[in-house]
């Protein structure tokens, strides 16, 4: 029979204890849970006993061979998860406000966006209009550029739409897209090609964590005639993508500025007559649009966009 802890006079559990509880609930094994949490098994056991004492209920049934939820443990799992997730959001929000109050803003970029003329123009405008605002530029890969924006790890991002729901955009520039092909692909000898010429080519793919709405646009999937794209190697950043193309493992579409910004051995760029253009934009989470740091970057980007500065990308 399980001994029920005395609920009288208990104190609130710590966030660490709730994380331990959730991890043990996933593993149902003290050794594996301790390994995941980078702590010793005795320390984990002590924390769980203390949590049960604080909550006044037994959470797990233990014997020499198995660990299982009690009815109370199973019932409290979702509440514990909600509490941990809420605390995580609170910390991110506090960090965001802390950056704003300290006059610090984090600008994420993907690909070569940090080198583009509109990015330089925005940073110059920020420096002139907000001399006490410090700006951190963070280079991001395919996976994290949208995830970090939505989570609040970065304040704004200079990126290439489309984007998932929850992100607002300010358009900065538009430019054509080109096909990025291996030099061994014979179609690359043509000055210009059409999408139908590429129908049998394998396209480089991205990890499942990347929003599909974003990569479907870059892959033109489906094509105008309704055919679906055949995908090949999976890459998470620009260098991995270019390497896959150079090896002949797949192709991709990139902004025309890639000709100048990403010359690589084994890679060539070809104009595609009927390929839609690419837009560059400043993005920010909808709920953060009026935070001081975000507002300052938005104002700088609006001024740059209205003036037309930086609209001509490298060729």
């Amino acid at each position: 029979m399980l001994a029920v802890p005395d609920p009288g006079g208990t104190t609130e559990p710590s966030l660490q204890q709730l994380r331990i509880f959730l991890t043990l609930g996933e593993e149902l094994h003290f050794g594996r849970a301790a390994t995941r949490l980078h702590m010793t098994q005795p320390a984990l056991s002590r924390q769980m006993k203390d949590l049960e004492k604080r909550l006044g209920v037994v959470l797990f049934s233990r014997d020499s061979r198995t660990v299982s939820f009690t009815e109370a443990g199973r019932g409290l799992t979702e509440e514990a998860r909600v509490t941990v997730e809420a605390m995580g959001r609170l910390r991110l929000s506090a960090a965001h406000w802390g950056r704003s109050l300290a006059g610090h803003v984090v600008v994420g970029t993907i690909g070569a966006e940090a080198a583009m003329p509109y990015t330089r123009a925005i940073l110059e405008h920020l420096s002139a209009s907000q001399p006490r605002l410090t700006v951190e530029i963070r280079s991001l890969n395919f996976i994290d550029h949208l995830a970090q924006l939505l989570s609040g790890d970065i304040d704004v991002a200079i990126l290439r739409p489309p984007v998932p729901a929850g992100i607002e955009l300010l358009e900065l520039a538009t430019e054509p897209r080109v096909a990025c092909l291996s030099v061994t692909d014979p179609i690359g000898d043509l000055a210009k090609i059409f999408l139908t010429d590429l129908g049998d080519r394998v396209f480089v793919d991205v990890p499942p964590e990347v929003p599909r709405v974003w990569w479907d646009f870059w892959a033109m999937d489906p094509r105008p005639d309704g055919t679906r794209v055949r995908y090949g190697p999976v890459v998470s950043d620009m260098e991995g993508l270019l390497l896959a193309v150079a090896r002949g493992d797949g192709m991709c579409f990139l902004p025309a500025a890639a000709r100048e910004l990403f010359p690589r051995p084994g890679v060539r760029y070809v104009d595609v007559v009927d390929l839609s253009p690419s837009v560059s934009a400043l993005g920010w989470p909808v709920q953060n649009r009026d935070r001081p740091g975000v507002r300052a970057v938005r104002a700088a980007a609006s001024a740059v966009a209205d003036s037309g500065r930086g609209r001509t990308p490298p060729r």
Side-chain angles (χ1 to χ4, degrees), residues 222-244:
R223 297 291 161 79
D225 63 2
T227 59
R228 303 299 306 203
V229 171
R230 287 194 306 128
Y231 290 102
V234 175
V235 301
S236 60
D237 58 26
M238 187 63 70
E239 291 303 324
L241 183 148
L242 293 168
L243 177 60

Side-chain angles (χ1 to χ4, degrees), residues 173-288:
T174 302
E175 66 175 306
R177 286 188 286 171
V178 296
C180 178
L181 301 163
S182 168
V183 294
T184 61
D185 191 324
I187 203 171
D189 294 331
L190 302 176
K192 293 183 178 180
I193 56 178
F194 292 83
L195 283 170
T196 52
D197 297 323
L198 300 167
D200 62 345
R201 298 308 195 274
V202 171
F203 207 91
V204 178
D205 204 359
V206 293
E209 295 89 347
V210 177
R212 205 65 214 177
V213 64
W214 185 70
W215 198 242
D216 282 349
F217 168 79
W218 283 100
M220 284 294 293
D221 189 12
R223 297 291 161 79
D225 63 2
T227 59
R228 303 299 306 203
V229 171
R230 287 194 306 128
Y231 290 102
V234 175
V235 301
S236 60
D237 58 26
M238 187 63 70
E239 291 303 324
L241 183 148
L242 293 168
L243 177 60
V245 172
R247 286 169 49 89
D249 295 332
M251 63 155 293
C252 65
F253 298 128
L254 291 175
R259 279 193 169 104
E260 178 179 331
L261 297 172
F262 294 114
R264 294 292 187 277
V267 169
R268 74 170 104 193
Y269 298 96
V270 182
D271 292 328
V272 183
V273 174
D274 52 347
L275 182 59
S276 60
S278 166
V279 172
S280 300
L282 177 76
W284 59 88
V286 173
Q287 69 273 19
N288 296 344

